[in-house]
Amino acid sequence: MRRIWAVAVNTIRQALRMKVAFIFILLLVVLLPVMALTTTGDDTLKGKLQTFVSYGLSLTSLLLCLLTVIISVHTLTSDMKYRQIYTVITKPIRRFEFLLGKLLGVVLLGAVLLVVFSVLIYAIVVYTPRYFNPSQAEIIQAQNEFFTARKALSPPDPDVSKEVAQALKGLVESGDIDQVYGGMSNEEIIRELTVLQTAAKRSADAGQELLWEFENVRLQDPNGSLFIRFKYEQVSVTPADSQIYSRWLIGDYRAYKYGIPGDVRLYPVQRKDPIKTFREIEVPGSVVADDGYVAVLFLNDQSNGASVMFPLGEGIQLLYKADTFTANFIRANLVILCRLIFLASLGILASTFLSFPVAILGCVAVFAIATVNEFVVESFYYIDSLDMTIVYAYTLKWLIRLLPQFDKVNPSRYLVPGELLSWSALGFVVLSLICIKAFLLMILGLIIFSFRELARIIV
Amino acid sequence: MEYAVETFSLTKVFSDWWGRGKVYAVDDLNLKVCHNEVFGLLGPNGSGKTTTLKMLLGLLHPTKGKSLCLGGDATDPKISARVGFLPEESYLYRYLNARETLDFYGRLFRLDRQVRRMRIEALLDMVGLKAVANRPVGTFSKGMARRIGLAQALINDPDLLILDEPTTGLDPIGTRQIKDLIIKLAKRGKTVLLCSHLLADVEDVCDRIAILYGGRIQAEGEVARLLQQENKRQITTDAISDEAIVKIERILQEEQAEFHINSPMHKLETFFIDTVVTAQRQSRRTSGAVSTTKIGDFLAKETVSDNILDRLTSAATTEATTAGSPVGAESSPDETIAPKPDDGLLGRLSEPTVQTDAGDANQTAETKPVETETLPAEGPVREDILDELTGRSKPQSEEDNHGDGAKAGESDNA
């Protein structure tokens, strides 16, 4: 362990004294405060905080990820290029100890910098409300929607198999199927129809209503608030002022719907909201039934004269406070730390058999793909429809799957809307990114490094 | 474990990526280096010397055959803890300073902080880089980097020292010092394997040599035996009279032997060192490495024991033996253990310093505080031991050198 530590300390010294880390540190030290002063968001306190946290954390993550890649690749390749490794590896140190020392050094440096900059971001965020002297309403809004960690519940997808079957039958009978879905397999047509039908269940014509029911809503504080977060989309006719008038009823709807006698506490709300923007309705937590049931009823006002739709995914969600902002912020940073550990392992693996430029290029490519991996995986999904399935199903598909998906758990996506980044989500990241992927990379790196002829010059 | 280094048909073939263009860098090499021997591996450039060393150390894998260092695999930490290696060039971390460099390597050997500190100071002193110990190694000249490289190889007080062209880039005094060090280490029972193409160096220090060409041993044996010209005799005398020469000529003519009589030339090395000695008498400082004759105390000691009790007792006995010594008020128990150059020639290098030490009280005062500054604040007995181990007894040892030659010889032989 002492030898691993010696190598780690030396790695950190190298990164600091060769001034690689210095540039990144300087950038962050300058950019973060500047960003804090210049971001405005939507001119509310909440908007300001959201924008700053989003950009600040993303920038920190990006720069530290790049720094980790560069240092991890540089430290090992330069040791081999300048042959310091001759004198180090001939000392009583095992090769795996040497690699682990390098990994430890890179991760430690990344972790320390992450702590420094996240503390800076945290301090700026906490002091922003005092500095800008906002109105009381803005402070409350920020408290409710930003300085919190809210659990987000999406309504379960409705069962649309009946509608899909009916639509398919209709298409076949009318003979339009080839015209509309020409060249698609049956499976694909069903998939498309399912999406269409699910979306249909989320749209309401003027005067129509929509009902969502949520279960297991457990508020941390029964006197706290419940939030409905939603976004309108695909309005058939855009209203003159781009505003949609609506009425909402929130509470235990079962008494009406199923005739179950109970203490009916439906909470009415009247709203006027712009389209294509996320909006939130605050409701007292007492609307939730004792068994954790709550229903949300939406009525599209007749006067709109247009149908509205809540997009799939996060179009409508129920939010309630489940943890503090601080705890959420810490978990968000732990997610970033997981990325750093993964990238450090990747860089070290790459530099066990590649030269500096090649290794850097490879690692940055992996990092770039990892950042948009969900998109990449999704786009490969469409290749399925072409006749390349076999080639790709056994090659690229698995390679892409093996790559990490940084965008799957994106810290700022949670912090900006004050959404709970749960321990289980963090656990998932730790498991997939570190316990499996980084671990495999390190094992592979150790194997390659153990068998490598270190004095062999590869031209 | 009969041999310190042993290879069994060691072969290394270099080929390109496609497996073409085979080059036999080392071909069926059977090398045997005995314990406590200075073995020289000679050969022109590209004869496979360095490749052999790299295979011994596990930096390259042999294509065929195998090698043993100290009876085991050199990549085994138990073995490599007893091996010191100086590569063909000093590959050092440019951003570390000299002291940090040695500290890093010391940590790899898991040396305790105390031992590490003592050895680092002793080694820096020995290689004459104490004055520049806080400068990044990247700013060093080649010779200075070489000295740190050597110090790095010695930090674990190795049983087997593998040196790849140890004297390249060093000035003649540094070269001489390395040669003295090698001889000293051999006296202490260490084994040295060095490879070089500087024949003069090898000739001076090696017990046995092997000459490599094309990856094969072309000649091997004891230096004395290989170089001895059995059919010739040489007589060196003081400047004798012309009559004596005439007499000798007559005798030789009776023997019917061919002969030449002339005055022998100085070796350039001797001349160079004499010149530097003179220069040192005149000016007191240099900006580069300070050439000293010192050899790190922990390297010069007969037995190295990590047992503090051993050190305490050895300190006590040396104190007893030197108690009556008339060396002066500054006399301390370490003087018998303090390093002594083997050679009278190098010994002269120290003389001017001693003279100024004795004559100029100011200079003594100038150097003393610097030395006491690094002294750890501990009890008086421990202080003595630390002194002894870190070699802070420069003035005494040098006085000892020119003052008490008989005793120096004694402790050398002990």
Side-chain angles (χ1 to χ4, degrees):
Chain A
M1 192 61 215
R2 272 163 71 185
R3 293 184 284 233
I4 296 180
W5 183 245
V7 174
V9 170
N10 190 34
T11 307
I12 294 174
R13 276 206 178 120
Q14 185 178 31
L16 293 179
R17 295 201 187 161
M18 299 304 269
K19 286 155 193 99
V20 190
F22 183 73
I23 296 166
F24 287 85
I25 294 170
L26 190 76
L27 260 179
L28 280 176
V29 165
V30 172
L31 284 181
L32 286 178
V34 168
M35 222 182 244
L37 291 173
T38 53
T39 49
T40 50
D42 58 359
D43 277 330
T44 63
L45 176 65
K46 186 189 93 176
K48 199 188 281 289
L49 290 169
Q50 284 177 329
T51 320
F52 173 69
V53 151
S54 170
Y55 284 99
L57 212 58
S58 304
L59 183 76
T60 307
S61 169
L62 174 75
L63 288 183
L64 289 185
C65 281
L66 285 179
L67 178 70
T68 302
V69 165
I70 292 172
I71 293 178
S72 59
V73 172
H74 176 258
T75 183
L76 197 55
T77 51
S78 90
D79 273 16
M80 288 199 259
K81 186 175 174 191
Y82 297 105
R83 307 188 195 170
Q84 288 105 342
I85 202 155
Y86 288 12
T87 47
V88 176
I89 217 75
T90 50
K91 302 281 180 277
I93 181 169
R94 295 264 185 204
R95 291 192 178 189
F96 79 87
E97 290 177 315
F98 180 73
L99 271 205
L100 287 183
K102 290 281 179 200
L103 179 71
L104 182 66
V106 175
V107 168
L108 219 56
L109 181 69
V112 168
L113 290 180
L114 182 63
V115 167
V116 168
F117 291 113
S118 62
V119 164
L120 183 64
I121 291 175
Y122 185 81
I124 290 175
V125 162
V126 168
Y127 280 94
T128 298
R130 295 181 205 182
Y131 185 78
F132 284 100
N133 232 342
S135 70
Q136 196 61 30
E138 276 188 305
I139 290 178
I140 290 172
Q141 189 196 27
Q143 286 298 342
N144 281 337
E145 297 176 24
F146 181 79
F147 286 112
T148 178
R150 295 176 301 179
K151 194 166 176 164
L153 288 179
S154 290
D157 278 337
D159 180 21
V160 291
S161 50
K162 224 186 266 173
E163 286 86 345
V164 170
Q166 208 160 10
L168 193 61
K169 204 173 143 200
L171 276 171
V172 173
E173 279 172 2
S174 67
D176 289 343
I177 190 148
D178 285 337
Q179 200 183 330
V180 183
Y181 297 110
M184 283 169 108
S185 73
N186 225 25
E187 214 173 274
E188 284 159 357
I189 296 172
I190 288 176
R191 211 149 57 197
E192 291 271 308
L193 285 174
T194 307
V195 172
L196 275 181
Q197 292 298 328
T198 312
K201 292 262 177 191
R202 280 175 164 243
S203 59
D205 291 334
Q208 264 193 338
E209 59 185 35
L210 289 171
L211 175 72
W212 296 282
E213 290 172 292
F214 298 89
E215 272 162 21
N216 286 322
V217 180
R218 307 281 174 201
L219 267 65
Q220 203 186 26
D221 171 17
N223 298 321
S225 295
L226 195 66
F227 301 87
I228 297 159
R229 190 160 175 271
F230 64 93
K231 184 163 91 168
Y232 298 129
E233 217 162 67
Q234 282 189 349
V235 182
S236 53
V237 185
T238 306
D241 54 355
S242 286
Q243 302 273 345
I244 296 287
Y245 293 81
S246 61
R247 278 191 292 150
W248 302 69
L249 285 174
I250 300 111
D252 192 349
Y253 188 70
R254 287 173 294 188
Y256 292 121
K257 192 181 175 190
Y258 307 111
I260 297 170
D263 182 13
V264 181
R265 288 170 297 184
L266 282 180
Y267 186 86
V269 182
Q270 291 219 14
R271 300 278 298 191
K272 182 181 89 173
D273 300 285
I275 58 166
K276 297 197 173 172
T277 316
F278 277 109
R279 303 287 287 179
E280 287 192 12
I281 305 172
E282 188 179 351
V283 185
S286 55
V287 298
V288 181
D290 295 335
D291 60 351
Y293 171 92
V294 67
V296 175
L297 185 75
F298 163 79
L299 178 68
N300 185 0
D301 199 285
Q302 196 76 47
S303 63
N304 289 326
S307 69
V308 292
M309 186 203 146
F310 297 88
L312 296 175
E314 295 173 355
I316 177 124
Q317 283 181 317
L318 196 65
L319 305 169
Y320 55 90
K321 184 165 180 170
D323 206 345
T324 59
F325 171 75
T326 310
N328 221 28
F329 188 77
I330 291 171
R331 283 191 293 267
N333 281 291
L334 288 176
V335 169
I336 297 178
L337 181 64
C338 290
R339 294 178 178 183
L340 299 186
I341 294 174
F342 171 84
L343 289 172
S345 316
L346 179 74
I348 284 173
L349 165 68
S351 46
T352 54
F353 64 99
L354 295 173
S355 65
F356 181 78
V358 184
I360 278 281
L361 192 68
C363 290
V364 170
V366 169
F367 172 65
I369 293 173
T371 336
V372 290
N373 200 354
E374 261 190 322
F375 168 75
V376 175
V377 170
E378 220 166 84
S379 57
F380 272 107
Y381 184 82
Y382 289 100
I383 293 184
D384 258 350
S385 54
L386 306 171
D387 281 329
M388 288 179 61
T389 15
I390 293 171
V391 180
Y392 134 82
Y394 293 99
T395 53
L396 266 180
K397 191 171 177 178
W398 287 104
L399 281 177
I400 299 283
R401 286 267 161 87
L402 276 176
L403 291 174
Q405 286 167 291
F406 287 175
D407 48 352
K408 206 163 192 172
V409 180
N410 181 355
S412 44
R413 206 187 73 194
Y414 290 93
L415 289 182
V416 167
E419 199 179 308
L420 177 75
L421 173 55
S422 63
W423 284 109
S424 61
L426 177 64
F428 165 77
V429 174
V430 170
L431 188 75
S432 77
L433 212 53
I434 298 179
C435 299
I436 299 175
K437 287 171 185 168
F439 181 75
L440 285 179
L441 293 182
M442 267 325 271
I443 294 285
L444 195 61
L446 289 174
I447 292 171
I448 294 174
F449 193 66
S450 304
F451 289 102
R452 195 176 157 181
E453 288 188 284
L454 293 173
R456 185 96 191 231
I457 311 297
I458 298 165
V459 187
Chain B
M1 198 172 80
E2 206 180 332
Y3 297 101
V5 175
E6 198 172 5
T7 69
F8 307 93
S9 353
L10 199 64
T11 304
K12 182 70 192 175
V13 181
F14 285 116
S15 49
D16 68 2
W17 199 78
W18 304 100
R20 297 174 308 184
K22 289 190 173 182
V23 176
Y24 281 80
V26 175
D27 190 4
D28 200 25
L29 185 75
N30 289 296
L31 198 66
K32 297 200 173 15
V33 179
C34 303
H35 283 285
N36 192 13
E37 180 178 60
V38 180
F39 191 95
L41 212 49
L42 305 188
N45 296 122
S47 56
K49 306 182 297 278
T50 301
T51 308
T52 308
L53 295 192
K54 281 176 181 167
M55 278 193 282
L56 283 177
L57 290 160
L59 290 170
L60 285 175
H61 303 319
T63 313
K64 210 184 85 193
K66 69 169 201 163
S67 61
L68 291 177
C69 278
L70 298 170
D73 186 353
T75 54
D76 179 356
K78 284 200 195 79
I79 300 292
S80 51
R82 296 164 55 206
V83 176
F85 171 51
L86 174 67
E88 61 212 304
E89 273 172 54
S90 312
Y91 303 120
L92 301 165
Y93 289 104
R94 300 168 54 82
Y95 50 87
L96 295 179
N97 66 36
R99 192 169 274 124
E100 286 168 337
T101 303
L102 295 182
D103 188 65
F104 171 63
Y105 289 111
R107 280 170 191 269
L108 293 182
F109 284 106
R110 303 181 70 172
L111 299 177
D112 289 331
R113 182 199 288 267
Q114 280 282 332
V115 179
R116 222 159 55 216
R117 216 165 48 190
M118 286 173 199
R119 289 192 179 177
I120 289 169
E121 296 309 319
L123 284 169
L124 285 173
D125 219 13
M126 171 184 136
V127 299
L129 292 178
K130 210 160 194 173
V132 290
N134 293 324
R135 236 170 72 187
V137 174
T139 66
F140 281 10
S141 73
K142 194 180 176 195
M144 287 157 87
R146 202 73 190 137
R147 286 159 184 264
I148 282 294
L150 182 71
Q152 160 282 125
L154 292 170
I155 195 150
N156 58 328
D157 189 18
D159 291 337
L160 169 64
L161 190 60
I162 297 178
L163 305 170
D164 195 348
E165 299 185 10
T167 55
T168 46
L170 283 180
D171 56 33
I173 297 171
T175 307
R176 185 69 200 212
Q177 196 188 359
I178 287 200
K179 289 197 268 184
D180 285 347
L181 175 80
I182 291 171
I183 292 167
K184 188 95 191 173
L185 288 173
K187 261 190 197 157
R188 281 185 53 217
K190 311 285 184 185
T191 310
V192 180
L193 168 60
L194 66 93
C195 79
S196 179
H197 48 236
L198 299 174
L199 303 179
D201 298 351
V202 177
E203 192 180 339
D204 287 352
V205 297
C206 288
D207 301 323
R208 280 203 309 139
I209 55 166
I211 298 179
L212 233 58
Y213 186 81
R216 284 173 173 273
I217 294 181
Q218 307 293 338
E220 186 183 4
E222 283 173 30
V223 177
R225 196 168 298 163
L226 287 177
L227 300 186
Q228 189 113 68
Q229 298 182 337
E230 297 288 349
N231 56 349
K232 294 218 167 131
R233 287 283 187 272
Q234 185 176 10
I235 303 168
T236 313
T237 68
D238 285 336
I240 49 172
S241 64
D242 288 346
E243 294 95 82
I245 290 177
V246 173
K247 276 184 205 163
I248 291 168
E249 277 178 348
R250 199 175 306 135
I251 296 168
L252 291 173
Q253 274 161 2
E254 280 169 23
E255 288 269 326
Q256 292 184 332
E258 271 188 38
F259 60 90
H260 310 277
I261 295 177
N262 52 15
S263 295
M265 304 276 281
H266 264 303
K267 273 177 92 176
L268 182 55
E269 187 185 42
T270 318
F271 178 72
F272 180 88
I273 292 174
D274 274 340
T275 311
V276 176
V277 167
T278 320
Q280 281 198 351
R281 282 211 182 93
Q282 285 154 5
S283 64
R284 292 187 301 199
R285 284 187 176 226
T286 165
S287 60
V290 182
S291 301
T292 66
T293 59
K294 296 185 74 110
I295 286 168
D297 286 354
F298 71 93
L299 296 169
K301 273 194 306 164
E302 298 304 313
T303 49
V304 177
S305 169
D306 284 336
N307 188 339
I308 188 75
L309 262 177
D310 278 1
R311 286 188 219 154
L312 280 166
T313 47
S314 74
T317 49
T318 50
E319 191 162 23
T321 55
T322 56
S325 159
V327 178
E330 280 174 37
S331 146
S332 70
D334 37 278
E335 63 185 297
T336 48
I337 297 156
K340 275 141 235 104
D342 294 331
D343 204 53
L345 174 69
L346 270 177
R348 262 178 280 152
L349 259 180
S350 330
E351 276 174 27
T353 337
V354 179
Q355 281 167 0
T356 47
D357 263 5
D360 185 10
N362 280 340
Q363 207 199 342
T364 328
E366 211 173 84
T367 50
K368 274 289 154 58
V370 182
E371 290 176 352
T372 45
E373 199 177 72
T374 51
L375 268 173
E378 281 177 53
V381 185
R382 286 295 293 274
E383 218 168 74
D384 284 344
I385 300 156
L386 287 174
D387 263 355
E388 163 204 320
L389 286 162
T390 50
R392 278 196 206 88
S393 50
K394 196 173 168 184
Q396 284 85 27
S397 70
E398 280 152 355
E399 243 174 273
D400 187 0
N401 227 346
H402 77 125
D404 202 342
K407 203 168 62 186
E410 243 172 59
S411 64
D412 257 352
N413 297 332

